[in-house]
Amino acid sequence: MPNLSQHSTVTEHQDFSTDHESAENTVLMQLQRIIEQRLLTARFQPIVEMQNGDILGYEGLIRGPSDSPLHSPINLFKAASEHQLTVTVEHLCRRVVLEQFAAQKLPGKLFLNVSPECLIQRDVRYGETLDYIHQLGINPDRVIIELTEYQPTHDYGLLCEAVFHYREMGFEIAIDDLGEGFSSLRLWSELKPDYVKIDMHFIQGIDHDSVKAQFVRSIQSIAEKSGTRVIAEGIETQAELLTVRELGVACGQGYHIARPHPTPTRAISAEVAKVLTANGQYTPRKATGSYEQTIAVEKILKTSPTIPSTMLNNQVDDIFLQNPKLQIIPVVDDGVPVGIINRYHMIDRFARPYQRELYGKKSCKVFMDPHAVVVDKNTSMQDVSHIIVETNPDHLINGIIITDQGKYIGICTGPDLMREITQMQITAARYANPLTQLPGNVPINQHIDQLLEKNQPFCACYCDLDHFKPFNDVYGYRRGDDIIQLTSEILKQHCDPQIDFVGHIGGDDFIILFRSEDWEQRCKAILETFEREIQHFYSNEDRERGGYLSEDRQGKKVFYPLVSLSLGVVKSSQNRFYSHHQISLAASDAKKQSKKIHGNSLFVDRRQEIPSHLVL
């Protein structure tokens, strides 16, 4: 007897295959109709500057026909990929977005989504997009090519070449969905984009997820060092918006700011604007070198043999052969450095056919790097590292030439510089306050003793918050931490980073070691700024009545005034103070006097120095 069950299964499989083929044909027909009739529309979502609410530009998004299963861009590009039409569809999307952006005369920049696959197509002429945007009246410096991965990128060399060509034409580059893509971190390293977008996974819920917050901090730190601007995608709540802003992220995008729309807003809502403009000038910023122990590059100076630029390459080669451990030779004419010669670069060139015959008897300037980093001996090592990052990291291999009033005195090597900076960072981190990253008690005491030892006049200003504990009880420790950080930023802003020192003693206590002559005006500016900015931390009701109710240590309800700042200043002078202990006690006494004054207050201990004949 025939196996009816088996026959039924075969029939069902055939029916399924037929249905599947029919569905695929329907999708292909719809895709072809979309391409032929240009049935795509653009949506534009604003990207805003997090520090002032200005619109940086718009990301151009695409939608298929509303009555089609290809309305969603995910389905649209999936179908295009399955039918080998990705490049065709992408080009159509690009044109539609550009046309509608130009037609609406939208302000700012346009973030244009492009896949690496499309960007590196060898049959695509690099100038095609440039010609088209010129026809539309858009300058290329307003267009940012946003690289979005739909599949892994393998040919990084070809991609870098394509990016280089687009940059040469005036376009900027952005990487989309950092942290989500197949190789986004490598793309960042290889392409050195102008913008990176953090994937929305790391933004949503960031206000109560410490791991996501740390991820964003790390990305922000890399971005600051590489000159890249960070954009946070997927901001959907006010809490996320505030958290991202507090982390120092430059730009934001998401439904809470504005949804994608065919005719997008040209200004953000009053609600969002209020959040972004509050405390706008006190965004987290990296403390300058004055807040860390600054060490001059002279500390790691090494002497090295030098040669004049007239020396022949054969002679330089002999020097390297006679000194196997010698890696670099500075080229110096009449005491002035003119360049540097790297051992491996020269040996590599001489190893090539006919190079020795061609260049052996020519000046060493042929193989010399004329753009060597040259710094004064008093330049801090932190500044030297910034110079190298901003110019060319290859200088770490060649080393740095050190001068004194323009005259050569020695060199320092890249490994020595990195080793010393790493040790400085370890020391700074060991004694820094974890919340504000300001120097703690050990570096504070060291700095005071150094000033006293050098007989440098200064004013010690003890800074203490009043009524801070009840604020923590009512508003929560997170808002309390925000006030601590705000205070830190205000103190730093009103100090001269070149000569003043700001330290965090602990809790809500800070100290400033002023060497600025206008220290008293700076203190008054600190109090005025604090009084204005602290208002943002209270509800409307508490602001109106000038305080809030909280329980004291006995559990009784007590009315507390708004948090205020007390400054107590003591001036150092010869024959009065000899150690940080004495300065600490005197500044603490001045602070106690200041706290007796209601509200934001300044007390200056103006007692004269002790006459020398009375000093025991």
Side-chain angles (χ1 to χ4, degrees):
M1 291 181 64
N3 190 332
L4 298 179
S5 174
Q6 183 178 8
H7 175 74
S8 174
T9 302
V10 171
T11 303
E12 289 174 1
H13 179 72
Q14 290 173 341
D15 290 344
F16 174 79
S17 298
T18 303
D19 291 344
H20 180 70
E21 289 175 5
S22 175
E24 285 295 307
N25 289 334
T26 301
V27 169
L28 178 58
M29 289 174 61
Q30 289 187 4
L31 186 60
Q32 290 173 334
R33 184 170 68 92
I34 288 171
I35 294 171
E36 291 168 3
Q37 300 180 25
R38 293 169 57 93
L39 300 176
L40 296 175
T41 56
R43 300 281 195 279
F44 297 96
Q45 186 173 33
I47 298 171
V48 302
E49 301 276 3
M50 295 293 284
Q51 304 314 321
N52 55 25
D54 291 346
I55 291 181
L56 168 70
Y58 299 83
E59 179 179 0
L61 306 169
I62 207 75
R63 296 291 184 272
S66 58
D67 58 349
S68 166
L70 302 183
H71 173 70
S72 161
I74 295 175
N75 294 339
L76 177 68
F77 283 104
K78 180 183 177 183
S81 176
E82 289 173 351
H83 295 92
Q84 289 77 51
L85 290 170
T86 299
V87 174
T88 302
V89 171
E90 270 205 42
H91 274 277
L92 176 59
C93 291
R94 199 183 304 181
R95 284 177 172 263
V96 168
V97 169
L98 285 166
E99 288 169 4
Q100 295 183 23
F101 181 81
Q104 296 186 51
K105 298 181 179 179
L106 292 174
K109 296 179 181 290
L110 171 64
F111 286 73
L112 194 63
N113 286 291
V114 181
S115 70
E117 176 190 3
C118 185
L119 200 70
I120 63 178
Q121 286 295 314
R122 293 185 182 277
D123 59 339
V124 175
R125 190 163 56 92
Y126 284 126
E128 181 179 327
T129 301
L130 183 64
D131 292 341
Y132 194 61
I133 69 167
H134 278 317
Q135 292 175 23
L136 295 172
I138 303 174
N139 290 326
D141 61 3
R142 293 185 61 202
V143 178
I144 298 169
I145 294 175
E146 184 173 325
L147 291 174
T148 306
E149 288 187 293
Y150 298 110
Q151 58 188 29
T153 299
H154 298 294
D155 198 334
Y156 286 95
L158 199 57
L159 183 58
C160 288
E161 178 187 345
V163 166
F164 173 79
H165 280 284
Y166 276 99
R167 274 208 169 104
E168 286 287 294
M169 291 185 284
F171 296 94
E172 290 184 298
I173 304 296
I175 293 177
D176 193 19
D177 294 335
L178 186 72
E180 189 273 339
F182 297 95
S183 50
S184 51
L185 284 175
R186 180 170 177 183
L187 277 176
W188 190 354
S189 172
E190 296 275 358
L191 304 183
K192 298 177 175 58
D194 304 283
Y195 298 86
V196 293
K197 285 189 166 186
I198 300 178
D199 180 60
M200 65 175 63
H201 165 77
F202 298 98
I203 303 302
Q204 292 171 353
I206 191 174
D207 51 302
H208 51 74
D209 191 323
S210 59
V211 175
K212 290 182 178 180
Q214 185 55 53
F215 176 85
V216 174
R217 283 192 196 96
S218 300
I219 294 302
Q220 181 64 24
S221 176
I222 297 171
E224 288 175 357
K225 291 179 174 62
S226 62
T228 303
R229 301 194 77 197
V230 176
I231 300 172
E233 288 188 299
I235 299 173
E236 296 188 353
T237 67
Q238 180 167 310
E240 291 168 359
L241 180 69
L242 281 167
T243 302
V244 168
R245 181 176 176 274
E246 288 170 0
L247 291 173
V249 173
C251 306
Q253 177 181 2
Y255 280 8
H256 184 70
I257 296 170
R259 290 175 174 267
H261 197 274
T263 56
T265 180
R266 295 171 186 245
I268 59 175
S269 68
E271 178 189 4
V272 174
K274 183 177 179 181
V275 172
L276 293 183
T277 55
N279 282 345
Q281 56 187 339
Y282 300 115
T283 58
R285 60 178 181 175
K286 187 177 179 181
T288 61
S290 300
Y291 308 123
E292 301 175 354
Q293 184 181 8
T294 55
I295 302 175
V297 72
E298 184 181 18
K299 178 183 176 183
I300 53 174
L301 180 146
K302 291 183 177 179
T303 57
S304 172
T306 65
I307 59 173
S309 61
T310 54
M311 181 174 283
L312 305 182
N313 286 315
N314 281 334
Q315 295 173 299
V316 178
D317 187 46
D318 289 340
I319 294 175
F320 278 128
L321 291 175
Q322 294 166 14
N323 299 273
K325 294 184 178 181
L326 186 63
Q327 303 300 317
I328 53 177
I329 302 178
V331 181
V332 180
D333 288 339
D334 299 323
V336 178
V338 294
I340 205 163
I341 296 179
N342 179 286
R343 175 190 191 93
Y344 296 107
H345 175 67
M346 184 165 194
I347 291 176
D348 176 67
R349 290 293 298 271
F350 261 17
R352 299 175 187 179
Y354 310 114
Q355 295 294 298
R356 186 180 295 273
E357 291 79 4
L358 286 171
Y359 299 109
K361 295 182 180 180
K362 292 187 177 181
S363 163
C364 64
K365 293 173 72 174
V366 174
F367 296 146
M368 178 188 79
D369 177 7
H371 304 296
V373 173
V374 181
V375 299
D376 185 81
K377 66 177 183 178
N378 295 316
T379 307
S380 74
M381 282 186 272
Q382 291 284 2
D383 288 342
V384 174
S385 70
H386 292 322
I387 292 170
I388 291 173
V389 169
E390 290 170 4
T391 53
N392 188 340
D394 290 344
H395 289 307
L396 279 175
I397 300 173
N398 285 344
I400 300 98
I401 294 175
I402 303 174
T403 61
D404 182 8
Q405 297 181 348
K407 296 293 186 178
Y408 171 86
I409 58 173
I411 61 169
C412 75
T413 66
D416 285 344
L417 177 66
M418 292 299 98
R419 190 180 302 113
E420 192 65 37
I421 289 176
T422 301
Q423 187 58 48
M424 287 168 56
Q425 291 173 338
I426 291 172
T427 302
R430 181 182 301 157
Y431 298 117
N433 182 279
L435 180 60
T436 62
Q437 296 301 303
L438 289 175
N441 289 322
V442 171
I444 290 171
N445 294 337
Q446 289 175 344
H447 197 82
I448 293 173
D449 288 337
Q450 288 171 6
L451 293 173
L452 292 172
E453 183 180 343
K454 296 177 181 178
N455 291 321
Q456 292 182 334
F458 66 95
C459 292
C461 175
Y462 199 121
C463 314
D464 187 20
L465 295 175
D466 308 316
H467 314 299
F468 180 68
K469 183 183 181 303
F471 177 90
N472 257 347
D473 295 338
V474 174
Y475 284 90
Y477 75 91
R478 172 63 190 274
R479 294 298 282 166
D481 286 351
D482 291 342
I483 286 186
I484 296 294
Q485 290 177 316
L486 170 71
T487 306
S488 165
E489 293 298 323
I490 291 174
L491 298 183
K492 288 190 290 184
Q493 188 191 35
H494 290 291
C495 290
D496 185 337
Q498 302 301 318
I499 56 178
D500 299 331
F501 178 98
V502 181
H504 192 166
I505 297 170
D508 60 346
D509 293 3
F510 297 83
I511 192 166
I512 306 173
L513 303 176
F514 281 116
R515 290 176 58 205
S516 298
E517 293 183 359
D518 60 345
W519 60 268
E520 192 161 1
Q521 286 76 17
R522 291 177 184 271
C523 287
K524 292 176 181 178
I526 287 171
L527 294 177
E528 290 173 3
T529 304
F530 184 86
E531 183 175 12
R532 181 178 66 250
E533 297 303 321
I534 197 65
Q535 302 293 322
H536 300 292
F537 287 82
Y538 294 95
S539 64
N540 293 334
E541 294 78 13
D542 287 347
R543 280 201 297 267
E544 289 172 2
R545 63 188 177 188
Y548 49 93
L549 289 171
S550 180
E551 292 185 354
D552 62 13
R553 294 178 180 178
Q554 285 73 42
K556 296 179 181 179
K557 288 286 185 180
V558 178
F559 180 80
Y560 289 97
L562 305 184
V563 173
S564 56
L565 181 61
S566 293
L567 306 181
V569 178
V570 60
K571 295 186 285 186
S572 74
S573 56
Q574 196 173 9
N575 300 328
R576 185 176 177 189
F577 300 111
Y578 297 93
S579 72
H580 65 265
H581 296 291
Q582 293 174 306
I583 291 286
S584 175
L585 289 172
S588 181
D589 286 341
K591 179 260 298 185
K592 291 175 183 176
Q593 296 300 319
S594 179
K595 290 178 79 71
K596 294 178 181 178
I597 306 170
H598 178 73
N600 296 289
S601 57
L602 169 64
F603 176 84
V604 181
D605 181 352
R606 300 187 186 278
R607 287 177 290 181
Q608 298 297 315
E609 65 181 55
I610 303 173
S612 59
H613 68 277
L614 296 180
V615 177
L616 298 179

